[in-house]
Amino acid sequence: MSFQSPTSKPQATVPGRPGTHHQGLHDHSAQGQSLEGALQQAGFYPRLVADVVADALDGRDCVAHLVHLETHFDRAEVRRHITVLVLTEDMLVITHVDDQQLDEAGEQTVAQVSTESVPVAQIRSVVLSYVYAQPQDYKSSDPVRELTLSIAWSGGQRLDMGPASCGDPQCEADHGYSGTIAQEDIVLRISAEADGLQAVQDAKLFARALRAVNTGSSAPVPHTGPGLPPRPRMGVFGSRVSRGHQR
């Protein structure tokens, strides 16, 4: 999948559909901007992604969101894909979109989309890993340099293994392998250097809202402003979908 820069086009108003406003895409959380604003700022086919997310929400209101655009370099190609996490009062909706060129000239491009809806009651753990620069000089006002958000709900596990050693640099004996097992279904890494300080703060706020809803604590009140009439319930996805953003 290679990247071709999406071009922004004027958003035409469809009859019976108020512009680009989507039911459930606006929220009153403490995050830096609305979900729709975050999709526009990411700039990765924002209208397509907004429609896919709105369809996956199925009329639910957004309590908190996290939009993460990732860029990878593969030899001479630049590849990008976007992951959108939307928390409602009862569901965690995960949307992943990437694109693929079907010809060398890049004239034929397709978008590959996957969505998954997970009841918050099924979420087993929410893990935040932080990185701080110069900890010896740490002050309470110092921002987090990097944050990794790991969410587990299905019992999926990641196994990291490597050759074991005895600590003797001269030893050439075979000590087998050692490793760690981490329970996770999705992992997102947000860096202040690559994504900005606000993105790291938004990830922390999203994790806090997810923990609050998952544990039954007081959570942010979702926005119920005007928008499209709620869509009929179509059921949620029961099977796991593959996502390229997993580590």
Side-chain angles (χ1 to χ4, degrees):
M1 181 274 297
S2 56
F3 169 68
Q4 184 180 26
S5 223
T7 56
S8 296
K9 298 181 181 179
Q11 308 269 334
T13 300
V14 179
R17 184 176 181 178
T20 59
H21 294 285
H22 299 273
Q23 174 73 15
L25 291 197
H26 303 277
D27 59 80
H28 281 169
S29 68
Q31 293 174 290
Q33 56 188 327
S34 69
L35 171 56
E36 192 162 7
L39 295 177
Q40 290 290 338
Q41 181 175 336
F44 190 75
Y45 309 110
R47 188 172 187 178
L48 168 64
V49 178
D51 281 345
V52 170
V53 172
D55 184 71
L57 286 174
D58 198 18
R60 293 178 174 86
D61 289 311
C62 173
V63 171
H65 65 270
L66 181 59
V67 176
H68 186 51
L69 181 66
E70 295 183 79
T71 303
H72 302 281
F73 297 93
D74 184 6
R75 297 181 181 179
E77 295 182 343
V78 179
R79 300 183 178 183
R80 303 175 72 189
H81 53 93
I82 192 169
T83 304
V84 182
L85 306 183
V86 180
L87 177 66
T88 73
E89 290 185 340
D90 62 339
M91 301 290 292
L92 172 63
V93 178
I94 303 116
T95 302
H96 184 73
V97 181
D98 60 18
D99 64 357
Q100 181 178 7
Q101 291 182 357
L102 302 181
D103 61 339
E104 293 184 359
E107 296 179 355
Q108 300 295 325
T109 305
V110 296
Q112 298 174 322
V113 181
S114 66
T115 62
E116 184 169 4
S117 301
V118 182
V120 293
Q122 292 184 9
I123 296 175
R124 300 185 178 185
S125 68
V126 179
V127 180
L128 287 177
S129 302
Y130 301 91
V131 174
Y132 283 93
Q134 302 300 327
Q136 69 277 11
D137 300 323
Y138 172 78
K139 301 183 296 296
S140 297
S141 58
D142 288 351
V144 180
R145 179 177 178 179
E146 181 181 304
L147 182 147
T148 301
L149 172 63
S150 304
I151 307 172
W153 61 84
S154 71
Q157 295 180 328
R158 174 174 56 87
L159 175 63
D160 292 328
M161 295 190 65
S165 65
C166 64
D168 182 358
Q170 305 299 324
C171 180
E172 298 181 356
D174 185 0
H175 297 281
Y177 291 85
S178 64
T180 59
I181 297 177
Q183 186 181 50
E184 58 190 32
D185 284 282
I186 184 171
V187 178
L188 294 179
R189 174 179 170 269
I190 299 93
S191 166
E193 183 177 358
D195 307 302
L197 289 173
Q198 185 60 55
V200 177
Q201 180 65 16
D202 284 347
K204 290 174 63 179
L205 292 172
F206 177 83
R208 184 179 304 166
L210 179 58
R211 286 196 300 254
V213 173
N214 183 235
T215 59
S217 305
S218 176
V221 177
H223 175 48
T224 55
L228 288 174
R231 293 186 175 95
R233 299 289 179 182
M234 300 172 60
V236 297
F237 289 79
S239 59
R240 298 290 310 283
V241 287
S242 61
R243 296 182 299 275
H245 56 275
Q246 294 194 39
R247 295 197 306 187

